[in-house]
Amino acid sequence: MTRVLATAAAAAAAAVLTTPPAAHAAATKKVTFRGMTLAIPSTWVVEKDHTGDWVSLSTRKCRDADTACPALQLVGPKVLKGGDYLESYKPGSPFAPSTGVAACRLNPTTKYGERFVGAKPLTSGYRPVGAGHKAEYRVWAGECYSFKTDKRTATFKQREWYLPKSKILIVDGYGIAATDAIIKTATWN
C-alpha cells in the first residue's frame, strides 16, 4: 500500500513538473498598430477597415448585426481627421465618429440609439500605455434610448486613451475586463 501511494505521489509530482508554464497562462496573440503592440487573448477577432487605420479587437466572433459585440477599438490619424462619413475627433469630446444617429451598442437594433450625457468626462487624467508612453485618459457617460419614447433604456461608460504624439486613440465602450492589463503591457517599436 505504501509503495502504491509513493508511486502515485511521484507520478503526480512528475506531471506538475513537466506541465509547461504556458499551459497555465492564457494564450495570447500580438496585434501591432502604428508602432504599438498589444497582446490580446488568442480567441479575440481582429478586423481592420479598408485603410488599416481602424482596427477592431472583438472579444468574440460577431455574427448578428442586432447583437452587441464588445470590442476594443484602435483608431489612427486618417479616421481621427474625419471625412466623408466620419466626424473628426476632438480630444475634449467623446469619440463618436458617425455623422448620423448611432445605434445603441448594447442593443443595436433599429429601435434604439445612443448619446453621450454631459459635456465633461466623468474622469480625466493621464494613464500609461506600456512603458514610456502616457495617454490622455477620459471616461464618458453614455446612454441608450428608445427612438419611440426618447427615454433611457441602458447606460454605458466609454473609456478613451489618446496618444497625441503617436496619433492613436484606444476606445473601450463596453467595460471589457481585460482592457487595462492589455494597455498597461503594450510594447513600442
PDB file of all heavy atoms in Angstrom, residues 58-81:
ATOM      1  N   SER A  58     -12.398  42.420 -31.310  1.00  0.00           N
ATOM      2  CA  SER A  58     -13.644  41.908 -30.733  1.00  0.00           C
ATOM      3  C   SER A  58     -13.366  40.749 -29.790  1.00  0.00           C
ATOM      4  O   SER A  58     -12.547  39.884 -30.095  1.00  0.00           O
ATOM      5  CB  SER A  58     -14.592  41.429 -31.833  1.00  0.00           C
ATOM      6  OG  SER A  58     -14.873  42.484 -32.725  1.00  0.00           O
ATOM      7  N   THR A  59     -14.082  40.717 -28.692  1.00  0.00           N
ATOM      8  CA  THR A  59     -13.885  39.657 -27.707  1.00  0.00           C
ATOM      9  C   THR A  59     -14.412  38.310 -28.187  1.00  0.00           C
ATOM     10  O   THR A  59     -14.123  37.288 -27.585  1.00  0.00           O
ATOM     11  CB  THR A  59     -14.561  40.011 -26.366  1.00  0.00           C
ATOM     12  OG1 THR A  59     -15.968  40.167 -26.587  1.00  0.00           O
ATOM     13  CG2 THR A  59     -13.974  41.284 -25.779  1.00  0.00           C
ATOM     14  N   ARG A  60     -15.172  38.313 -29.275  1.00  0.00           N
ATOM     15  CA  ARG A  60     -15.692  37.075 -29.860  1.00  0.00           C
ATOM     16  C   ARG A  60     -16.059  37.340 -31.312  1.00  0.00           C
ATOM     17  O   ARG A  60     -16.101  38.482 -31.749  1.00  0.00           O
ATOM     18  CB  ARG A  60     -16.915  36.578 -29.092  1.00  0.00           C
ATOM     19  CG  ARG A  60     -18.051  37.574 -29.072  1.00  0.00           C
ATOM     20  CD  ARG A  60     -19.229  37.082 -28.243  1.00  0.00           C
ATOM     21  NE  ARG A  60     -20.201  38.115 -28.020  1.00  0.00           N
ATOM     22  CZ  ARG A  60     -21.105  38.521 -28.909  1.00  0.00           C
ATOM     23  NH1 ARG A  60     -21.154  37.992 -30.101  1.00  0.00           N
ATOM     24  NH2 ARG A  60     -21.967  39.474 -28.613  1.00  0.00           N
ATOM     25  N   LYS A  61     -16.341  36.287 -32.050  1.00  0.00           N
ATOM     26  CA  LYS A  61     -16.782  36.450 -33.432  1.00  0.00           C
ATOM     27  C   LYS A  61     -18.205  36.982 -33.411  1.00  0.00           C
ATOM     28  O   LYS A  61     -19.077  36.430 -32.742  1.00  0.00           O
ATOM     29  CB  LYS A  61     -16.710  35.121 -34.176  1.00  0.00           C
ATOM     30  CG  LYS A  61     -17.023  35.273 -35.634  1.00  0.00           C
ATOM     31  CD  LYS A  61     -16.695  34.036 -36.412  1.00  0.00           C
ATOM     32  CE  LYS A  61     -17.007  34.342 -37.864  1.00  0.00           C
ATOM     33  NZ  LYS A  61     -16.420  33.431 -38.774  1.00  0.00           N
ATOM     34  N   CYS A  62     -18.438  38.043 -34.114  1.00  0.00           N
ATOM     35  CA  CYS A  62     -19.755  38.676 -34.118  1.00  0.00           C
ATOM     36  C   CYS A  62     -20.487  38.296 -35.388  1.00  0.00           C
ATOM     37  O   CYS A  62     -20.021  38.595 -36.487  1.00  0.00           O
ATOM     38  CB  CYS A  62     -19.605  40.185 -34.014  1.00  0.00           C
ATOM     39  SG  CYS A  62     -18.739  40.657 -32.509  1.00  0.00           S
ATOM     40  N   ARG A  63     -21.590  37.646 -35.226  1.00  0.00           N
ATOM     41  CA  ARG A  63     -22.331  37.139 -36.387  1.00  0.00           C
ATOM     42  C   ARG A  63     -23.560  37.974 -36.706  1.00  0.00           C
ATOM     43  O   ARG A  63     -23.910  38.157 -37.840  1.00  0.00           O
ATOM     44  CB  ARG A  63     -22.749  35.693 -36.124  1.00  0.00           C
ATOM     45  CG  ARG A  63     -21.576  34.767 -36.035  1.00  0.00           C
ATOM     46  CD  ARG A  63     -22.051  33.333 -35.790  1.00  0.00           C
ATOM     47  NE  ARG A  63     -20.914  32.541 -35.374  1.00  0.00           N
ATOM     48  CZ  ARG A  63     -20.675  32.167 -34.142  1.00  0.00           C
ATOM     49  NH1 ARG A  63     -21.508  32.493 -33.182  1.00  0.00           N
ATOM     50  NH2 ARG A  63     -19.612  31.471 -33.838  1.00  0.00           N
ATOM     51  N   ASP A  64     -24.245  38.435 -35.695  1.00  0.00           N
ATOM     52  CA  ASP A  64     -25.545  39.065 -35.867  1.00  0.00           C
ATOM     53  C   ASP A  64     -25.431  40.569 -35.642  1.00  0.00           C
ATOM     54  O   ASP A  64     -24.985  41.021 -34.596  1.00  0.00           O
ATOM     55  CB  ASP A  64     -26.523  38.443 -34.854  1.00  0.00           C
ATOM     56  CG  ASP A  64     -27.940  38.913 -35.034  1.00  0.00           C
ATOM     57  OD1 ASP A  64     -28.176  39.824 -35.854  1.00  0.00           O
ATOM     58  OD2 ASP A  64     -28.821  38.373 -34.348  1.00  0.00           O
ATOM     59  N   ALA A  65     -25.828  41.352 -36.626  1.00  0.00           N
ATOM     60  CA  ALA A  65     -25.741  42.810 -36.516  1.00  0.00           C
ATOM     61  C   ALA A  65     -26.638  43.367 -35.418  1.00  0.00           C
ATOM     62  O   ALA A  65     -26.454  44.489 -34.970  1.00  0.00           O
ATOM     63  CB  ALA A  65     -26.099  43.456 -37.852  1.00  0.00           C
ATOM     64  N   ASP A  66     -27.628  42.586 -34.970  1.00  0.00           N
ATOM     65  CA  ASP A  66     -28.543  43.055 -33.922  1.00  0.00           C
ATOM     66  C   ASP A  66     -28.089  42.655 -32.523  1.00  0.00           C
ATOM     67  O   ASP A  66     -28.837  42.779 -31.571  1.00  0.00           O
ATOM     68  CB  ASP A  66     -29.956  42.498 -34.161  1.00  0.00           C
ATOM     69  CG  ASP A  66     -30.598  43.138 -35.376  1.00  0.00           C
ATOM     70  OD1 ASP A  66     -30.133  44.201 -35.804  1.00  0.00           O
ATOM     71  OD2 ASP A  66     -31.568  42.566 -35.892  1.00  0.00           O
ATOM     72  N   THR A  67     -26.863  42.160 -32.393  1.00  0.00           N
ATOM     73  CA  THR A  67     -26.346  41.730 -31.099  1.00  0.00           C
ATOM     74  C   THR A  67     -25.121  42.559 -30.744  1.00  0.00           C
ATOM     75  O   THR A  67     -24.266  42.810 -31.593  1.00  0.00           O
ATOM     76  CB  THR A  67     -25.953  40.236 -31.147  1.00  0.00           C
ATOM     77  OG1 THR A  67     -27.080  39.499 -31.608  1.00  0.00           O
ATOM     78  CG2 THR A  67     -25.553  39.729 -29.785  1.00  0.00           C
ATOM     79  N   ALA A  68     -25.047  42.975 -29.492  1.00  0.00           N
ATOM     80  CA  ALA A  68     -23.885  43.737 -29.032  1.00  0.00           C
ATOM     81  C   ALA A  68     -22.626  42.908 -29.228  1.00  0.00           C
ATOM     82  O   ALA A  68     -22.614  41.713 -28.996  1.00  0.00           O
ATOM     83  CB  ALA A  68     -24.056  44.114 -27.566  1.00  0.00           C
ATOM     84  N   CYS A  69     -21.557  43.569 -29.658  1.00  0.00           N
ATOM     85  CA  CYS A  69     -20.301  42.878 -29.910  1.00  0.00           C
ATOM     86  C   CYS A  69     -19.176  43.646 -29.220  1.00  0.00           C
ATOM     87  O   CYS A  69     -18.619  44.575 -29.798  1.00  0.00           O
ATOM     88  CB  CYS A  69     -20.048  42.774 -31.403  1.00  0.00           C
ATOM     89  SG  CYS A  69     -18.657  41.711 -31.766  1.00  0.00           S
ATOM     90  N   PRO A  70     -18.867  43.298 -27.968  1.00  0.00           N
ATOM     91  CA  PRO A  70     -17.829  44.016 -27.239  1.00  0.00           C
ATOM     92  C   PRO A  70     -16.494  43.996 -27.989  1.00  0.00           C
ATOM     93  O   PRO A  70     -16.030  42.949 -28.419  1.00  0.00           O
ATOM     94  CB  PRO A  70     -17.722  43.256 -25.920  1.00  0.00           C
ATOM     95  CG  PRO A  70     -19.041  42.575 -25.774  1.00  0.00           C
ATOM     96  CD  PRO A  70     -19.459  42.235 -27.165  1.00  0.00           C
ATOM     97  N   ALA A  71     -15.921  45.181 -28.149  1.00  0.00           N
ATOM     98  CA  ALA A  71     -14.654  45.297 -28.873  1.00  0.00           C
ATOM     99  C   ALA A  71     -13.863  46.483 -28.356  1.00  0.00           C
ATOM    100  O   ALA A  71     -14.419  47.477 -27.894  1.00  0.00           O
ATOM    101  CB  ALA A  71     -14.913  45.450 -30.367  1.00  0.00           C
ATOM    102  N   LEU A  72     -12.571  46.339 -28.471  1.00  0.00           N
ATOM    103  CA  LEU A  72     -11.631  47.420 -28.188  1.00  0.00           C
ATOM    104  C   LEU A  72     -11.275  48.003 -29.546  1.00  0.00           C
ATOM    105  O   LEU A  72     -10.961  47.268 -30.482  1.00  0.00           O
ATOM    106  CB  LEU A  72     -10.396  46.820 -27.502  1.00  0.00           C
ATOM    107  CG  LEU A  72      -9.362  47.741 -26.904  1.00  0.00           C
ATOM    108  CD1 LEU A  72      -9.973  48.603 -25.817  1.00  0.00           C
ATOM    109  CD2 LEU A  72      -8.231  46.912 -26.317  1.00  0.00           C
ATOM    110  N   GLN A  73     -11.350  49.334 -29.683  1.00  0.00           N
ATOM    111  CA  GLN A  73     -11.090  49.984 -30.967  1.00  0.00           C
ATOM    112  C   GLN A  73      -9.727  50.673 -30.941  1.00  0.00           C
ATOM    113  O   GLN A  73      -9.400  51.365 -29.974  1.00  0.00           O
ATOM    114  CB  GLN A  73     -12.170  51.030 -31.263  1.00  0.00           C
ATOM    115  CG  GLN A  73     -13.587  50.515 -31.194  1.00  0.00           C
ATOM    116  CD  GLN A  73     -13.902  49.464 -32.237  1.00  0.00           C
ATOM    117  OE1 GLN A  73     -13.403  49.507 -33.356  1.00  0.00           O
ATOM    118  NE2 GLN A  73     -14.717  48.503 -31.864  1.00  0.00           N
ATOM    119  N   LEU A  74      -8.953  50.493 -32.009  1.00  0.00           N
ATOM    120  CA  LEU A  74      -7.685  51.187 -32.201  1.00  0.00           C
ATOM    121  C   LEU A  74      -7.883  52.082 -33.417  1.00  0.00           C
ATOM    122  O   LEU A  74      -8.176  51.592 -34.511  1.00  0.00           O
ATOM    123  CB  LEU A  74      -6.548  50.198 -32.456  1.00  0.00           C
ATOM    124  CG  LEU A  74      -6.394  49.053 -31.458  1.00  0.00           C
ATOM    125  CD1 LEU A  74      -5.267  48.121 -31.892  1.00  0.00           C
ATOM    126  CD2 LEU A  74      -6.146  49.586 -30.066  1.00  0.00           C
ATOM    127  N   VAL A  75      -7.736  53.393 -33.224  1.00  0.00           N
ATOM    128  CA  VAL A  75      -8.056  54.344 -34.277  1.00  0.00           C
ATOM    129  C   VAL A  75      -6.839  55.227 -34.543  1.00  0.00           C
ATOM    130  O   VAL A  75      -6.209  55.734 -33.618  1.00  0.00           O
ATOM    131  CB  VAL A  75      -9.270  55.211 -33.864  1.00  0.00           C
ATOM    132  CG1 VAL A  75      -9.689  56.119 -34.989  1.00  0.00           C
ATOM    133  CG2 VAL A  75     -10.437  54.329 -33.425  1.00  0.00           C
ATOM    134  N   GLY A  76      -6.528  55.409 -35.833  1.00  0.00           N
ATOM    135  CA  GLY A  76      -5.375  56.208 -36.234  1.00  0.00           C
ATOM    136  C   GLY A  76      -5.765  57.549 -36.846  1.00  0.00           C
ATOM    137  O   GLY A  76      -6.952  57.908 -36.900  1.00  0.00           O
ATOM    138  N   PRO A  77      -4.775  58.311 -37.333  1.00  0.00           N
ATOM    139  CA  PRO A  77      -4.987  59.696 -37.759  1.00  0.00           C
ATOM    140  C   PRO A  77      -5.927  59.895 -38.944  1.00  0.00           C
ATOM    141  O   PRO A  77      -6.625  60.906 -39.005  1.00  0.00           O
ATOM    142  CB  PRO A  77      -3.582  60.189 -38.090  1.00  0.00           C
ATOM    143  CG  PRO A  77      -2.772  58.973 -38.324  1.00  0.00           C
ATOM    144  CD  PRO A  77      -3.381  57.906 -37.464  1.00  0.00           C
ATOM    145  N   LYS A  78      -5.983  58.955 -39.891  1.00  0.00           N
ATOM    146  CA  LYS A  78      -6.895  59.121 -41.033  1.00  0.00           C
ATOM    147  C   LYS A  78      -8.340  59.155 -40.555  1.00  0.00           C
ATOM    148  O   LYS A  78      -9.139  59.965 -41.028  1.00  0.00           O
ATOM    149  CB  LYS A  78      -6.716  57.974 -42.028  1.00  0.00           C
ATOM    150  CG  LYS A  78      -5.400  57.980 -42.751  1.00  0.00           C
ATOM    151  CD  LYS A  78      -5.304  56.748 -43.641  1.00  0.00           C
ATOM    152  CE  LYS A  78      -3.885  56.527 -44.096  1.00  0.00           C
ATOM    153  NZ  LYS A  78      -3.716  55.208 -44.728  1.00  0.00           N
ATOM    154  N   VAL A  79      -8.682  58.280 -39.621  1.00  0.00           N
ATOM    155  CA  VAL A  79     -10.042  58.229 -39.088  1.00  0.00           C
ATOM    156  C   VAL A  79     -10.275  59.411 -38.149  1.00  0.00           C
ATOM    157  O   VAL A  79     -11.334  60.041 -38.184  1.00  0.00           O
ATOM    158  CB  VAL A  79     -10.305  56.889 -38.372  1.00  0.00           C
ATOM    159  CG1 VAL A  79     -11.667  56.889 -37.688  1.00  0.00           C
ATOM    160  CG2 VAL A  79     -10.203  55.732 -39.361  1.00  0.00           C
ATOM    161  N   LEU A  80      -9.286  59.743 -37.324  1.00  0.00           N
ATOM    162  CA  LEU A  80      -9.433  60.847 -36.376  1.00  0.00           C
ATOM    163  C   LEU A  80      -9.649  62.181 -37.094  1.00  0.00           C
ATOM    164  O   LEU A  80     -10.329  63.064 -36.578  1.00  0.00           O
ATOM    165  CB  LEU A  80      -8.208  60.935 -35.459  1.00  0.00           C
ATOM    166  CG  LEU A  80      -7.991  59.736 -34.534  1.00  0.00           C
ATOM    167  CD1 LEU A  80      -6.688  59.895 -33.757  1.00  0.00           C
ATOM    168  CD2 LEU A  80      -9.165  59.543 -33.599  1.00  0.00           C
ATOM    169  N   LYS A  81      -9.079  62.303 -38.279  1.00  0.00           N
ATOM    170  CA  LYS A  81      -9.219  63.529 -39.070  1.00  0.00           C
ATOM    171  C   LYS A  81     -10.654  63.723 -39.545  1.00  0.00           C
ATOM    172  O   LYS A  81     -11.112  64.833 -39.765  1.00  0.00           O
ATOM    173  CB  LYS A  81      -8.256  63.470 -40.260  1.00  0.00           C
ATOM    174  CG  LYS A  81      -8.281  64.661 -41.140  1.00  0.00           C
ATOM    175  CD  LYS A  81      -7.296  64.484 -42.285  1.00  0.00           C
ATOM    176  CE  LYS A  81      -7.446  65.578 -43.301  1.00  0.00           C
ATOM    177  NZ  LYS A  81      -6.634  65.326 -44.479  1.00  0.00           N
TER     178      LYS A  81
END
